[in-house]
Amino acid sequence: MRKQYSPFTYITFFFLINTILCSLTPIILHAELISGYEFISEQAKEIQNDDFQNPGFSVIENGLDIYNEVGENEVQCSNCHGLNGNKFIPKSIAQFPKFHEILDKPVTLRDQIQYCWVERLENFPLLYDDIQLLALETMIRNKAFGEKVNVDINEKMKPYYEAGKAFYFTRFGQMDMNCSQCHDIYTGQMLRGQKLSQGHTNGFPLFRLESQKMVNLPQRLRECFRSLRAETFEQNSDEFRNLEIYLNARGNGLKIETPAVRY
Amino acid sequence: MFVRINILVVHSLIVLFCFYSNNISASPEIKYIVEGDNIFNPLGGLEGDPRNGRELVRNKNKGNCLSCHHLPIPEDDFHGTIGPSLIAVSQRLTESQIRLRVTDMKQVNPNSIMPGFFRGPEKMNRISSIYENTTILSAQDIEDIVSYLITLKTIQTKTF
């Protein structure tokens, strides 16, 4: 005769399996990182890959011009970072946002450029929306083209990363949605004519075909907030900085594509 | 995945519990009664206009249902795939079930990505000042859309 198990055995077994599967979830969820590049049309890919068609490259040229201008104190970026920025270390650029010891807080690449602009060239601070800052960021991020995103989220960075992560899962606006719903749960699905990507940041600053404009990450995020009918945050707010830490770290391992082309 | 399924199960249980306690929801001005997964009475006793409903589901500033759902509207090129197709939705759902889903999907599935089109604005986080104290759709809009969706009985294109 077959051995009889009590219903409790089955229930216990069910919960045991469930627990194991639940603990595997993070691995399953983040198994595969896919760049936004894989979600755009062949035509858009061609534009991104062609240095002459990709409008991002003229922005890089502008960036180099600004990089070579002298500051209020007659100092130039190139005095410390080399001709055309050839002393920048790609691996180091790929680590932004990172912890800045003097400021004692995390800085994005924009924050760092702003810091050198003001402290080392003694220039008047740039607005975070300024196209000069955008051009410098594009030019410097491009130095790390092909390098893998590698944000350190340990020790001092940890609380900021955690805050950014919580933000990512917070619902916003009249549309009452969070980032994860579109960029984790429904990745690959169509939102009208747009295929939802994983929402990575490895292409920023990037050229948007929709608005025919080069944008940095906070500018893109502000668009998202508008479409969620939510009150947005300032470009250099702690909220967006923390979110940038989370988003970049979430894409750790993806290759930097700046300047990318997207919708 | 599995955590989500678990959360879904727990939420479904909570939702079921709520259903049987027949809660009354209040949205600006107009109150409605949820019974099970239904709202039996038209919001504000209003009568819907299916022709306008068909326009509202396309309109990007109104229902914009097409951004997530397939609908029998061939003149629009792009239909979303986030939600299930609504092409013959009234084969599987009754009018009163559709009414609750269009009014406030989160009362059926708290984790839903579908916006609560007539959900109380006090339940939203950081709503833009332009839209403060408003719902995405009006009660009349909801009734128009419901009256359109109940005409979708077959997989054939519906024109008016």
Side-chain angles (χ1 to χ4, degrees), chain B residues 11-52:
Chain B
H11 278 296
S12 314
L13 290 176
I14 297 170
V15 171
L16 275 180
F17 176 76
C18 296
F19 281 166
Y20 291 109
S21 48
N22 279 357
N23 55 337
I24 297 178
S25 308
S27 265
E29 319 116 43
I30 291 169
K31 287 200 163 93
Y32 55 87
I33 302 172
V34 178
E35 293 172 77
D37 70 338
N38 304 278
I39 299 175
F40 286 107
N41 297 322
L43 302 187
L46 296 162
E47 198 184 321
D49 168 8
R51 204 171 309 201
N52 193 43

Side-chain angles (χ1 to χ4, degrees), chain A residues 116-182:
Chain A
C116 284
W117 182 266
V118 174
E119 297 298 324
R120 281 146 188 160
L121 269 64
E122 295 178 18
N123 281 338
F124 195 73
L126 292 166
L127 288 176
Y128 271 75
D129 262 339
D130 196 307
I131 49 167
Q132 298 187 77
L133 185 53
L134 181 67
L136 281 171
E137 185 190 2
T138 311
M139 177 284 238
I140 296 170
R141 189 76 170 168
N142 175 256
K143 295 276 176 221
F145 185 92
E147 195 59 53
K148 284 183 177 168
V149 180
N150 182 23
V151 182
D152 177 14
I153 52 164
N154 298 308
E155 293 167 39
K156 287 179 177 171
M157 290 295 282
K158 183 114 185 148
Y160 302 95
Y161 168 84
E162 292 297 340
K165 184 173 182 179
F167 189 99
Y168 184 84
F169 289 95
T170 305
R171 288 173 179 268
F172 287 104
Q174 193 173 44
M175 295 300 155
D176 206 18
M177 298 173 191
N178 67 37
C179 318
S180 168
Q181 285 179 306
C182 282

Side-chain angles (χ1 to χ4, degrees), chain A residues 170-174 176 230-231, chain B residues 121-127:
Chain A
T170 305
R171 288 173 179 268
F172 287 104
Q174 193 173 44
D176 206 18
E231 205 60 31
Chain B
E122 72 285 350
K123 292 176 189 152
M124 319 289 188
N125 174 28
R126 248 185 118 80
I127 200 162

Side-chain angles (χ1 to χ4, degrees), chain A residues 18 22 25 170-174 176-177 181-182 185-186 189-193 196 229-233, chain B residues 1 3-4 6 58 61 64 67 78 80-82 106 110-113 125-126 128-129 131 134-136:
Chain A
N18 237 342
C22 285
T25 307
T170 305
R171 288 173 179 268
F172 287 104
Q174 193 173 44
D176 206 18
M177 298 173 191
Q181 285 179 306
C182 282
I185 299 177
Y186 292 109
Q189 296 299 326
M190 301 297 286
L191 185 73
R192 277 232 194 199
L196 288 173
R229 297 189 174 179
E231 205 60 31
T232 186
F233 292 87
Chain B
M1 263 321 248
V3 168
R4 261 186 220 122
N6 268 356
R58 302 173 59 197
N61 296 316
N64 199 13
S67 67
F78 297 110
T81 59
I82 293 174
K106 297 207 166 82
N111 290 323
S112 186
I113 188 174
N125 174 28
R126 248 185 118 80
S128 149
S129 55
Y131 299 100
T134 65
T135 49
I136 304 171

Side-chain angles (χ1 to χ4, degrees), chain A residues 1-249:
Chain A
M1 214 187 110
R2 267 181 62 203
K3 199 174 166 215
Q4 293 279 313
Y5 294 104
S6 85
F8 288 106
T9 319
Y10 286 107
I11 291 171
T12 317
F13 190 66
F14 174 77
F15 276 105
L16 193 73
I17 294 285
N18 237 342
T19 317
I20 295 168
L21 290 176
C22 285
S23 56
L24 284 175
T25 307
I27 304 166
I28 295 165
L29 268 181
H30 296 288
E32 203 187 358
L33 292 172
I34 308 171
S35 164
Y37 180 80
E38 302 301 333
F39 295 86
I40 59 177
S41 68
E42 290 305 318
Q43 218 180 347
K45 282 182 187 171
E46 257 171 50
I47 300 175
Q48 173 168 330
N49 295 337
D50 181 347
D51 293 12
F52 293 103
Q53 277 193 70
N54 184 340
F57 284 95
S58 69
V59 177
I60 291 176
E61 291 300 321
N62 296 345
L64 279 171
D65 290 344
I66 300 160
Y67 180 88
N68 289 321
E69 280 169 17
V70 289
E72 292 293 327
N73 56 359
E74 301 295 312
V75 172
Q76 266 172 294
C77 306
S78 55
N79 292 9
C80 301
H81 298 297
L83 184 71
N84 293 338
N86 59 15
K87 285 192 189 154
F88 284 124
I89 306 158
K91 277 201 169 20
S92 178
I93 299 298
Q95 287 168 351
F96 277 94
K98 56 168 113 167
F99 203 83
H100 195 283
E101 294 301 336
I102 307 170
L103 290 170
D104 195 31
K105 64 173 209 164
V107 289
T108 61
L109 187 53
R110 282 179 303 288
D111 295 329
Q112 174 69 59
I113 296 168
Q114 177 82 289
Y115 182 79
C116 284
W117 182 266
V118 174
E119 297 298 324
R120 281 146 188 160
L121 269 64
E122 295 178 18
N123 281 338
F124 195 73
L126 292 166
L127 288 176
Y128 271 75
D129 262 339
D130 196 307
I131 49 167
Q132 298 187 77
L133 185 53
L134 181 67
L136 281 171
E137 185 190 2
T138 311
M139 177 284 238
I140 296 170
R141 189 76 170 168
N142 175 256
K143 295 276 176 221
F145 185 92
E147 195 59 53
K148 284 183 177 168
V149 180
N150 182 23
V151 182
D152 177 14
I153 52 164
N154 298 308
E155 293 167 39
K156 287 179 177 171
M157 290 295 282
K158 183 114 185 148
Y160 302 95
Y161 168 84
E162 292 297 340
K165 184 173 182 179
F167 189 99
Y168 184 84
F169 289 95
T170 305
R171 288 173 179 268
F172 287 104
Q174 193 173 44
M175 295 300 155
D176 206 18
M177 298 173 191
N178 67 37
C179 318
S180 168
Q181 285 179 306
C182 282
H183 294 299
D184 293 315
I185 299 177
Y186 292 109
T187 304
Q189 296 299 326
M190 301 297 286
L191 185 73
R192 277 232 194 199
Q194 280 201 324
K195 200 177 233 182
L196 288 173
S197 75
Q198 294 180 345
H200 288 300
T201 50
N202 55 317
F204 281 92
L206 52 77
F207 185 77
R208 288 199 69 194
L209 296 166
E210 188 195 80
S211 56
Q212 290 288 308
K213 263 191 195 143
M214 199 75 191
V215 293
N216 62 26
L217 180 61
Q219 284 166 339
R220 182 71 181 88
L221 293 174
R222 273 201 304 214
E223 281 304 308
C224 287
F225 270 71
R226 199 164 300 149
S227 64
L228 296 181
R229 297 189 174 179
E231 205 60 31
T232 186
F233 292 87
E234 288 298 315
Q235 273 248 20
N236 60 338
S237 61
D238 289 341
E239 285 85 357
F240 273 0
R241 185 173 298 103
N242 294 340
L243 180 60
E244 184 162 344
I245 295 168
Y246 177 70
L247 290 176
N248 284 16

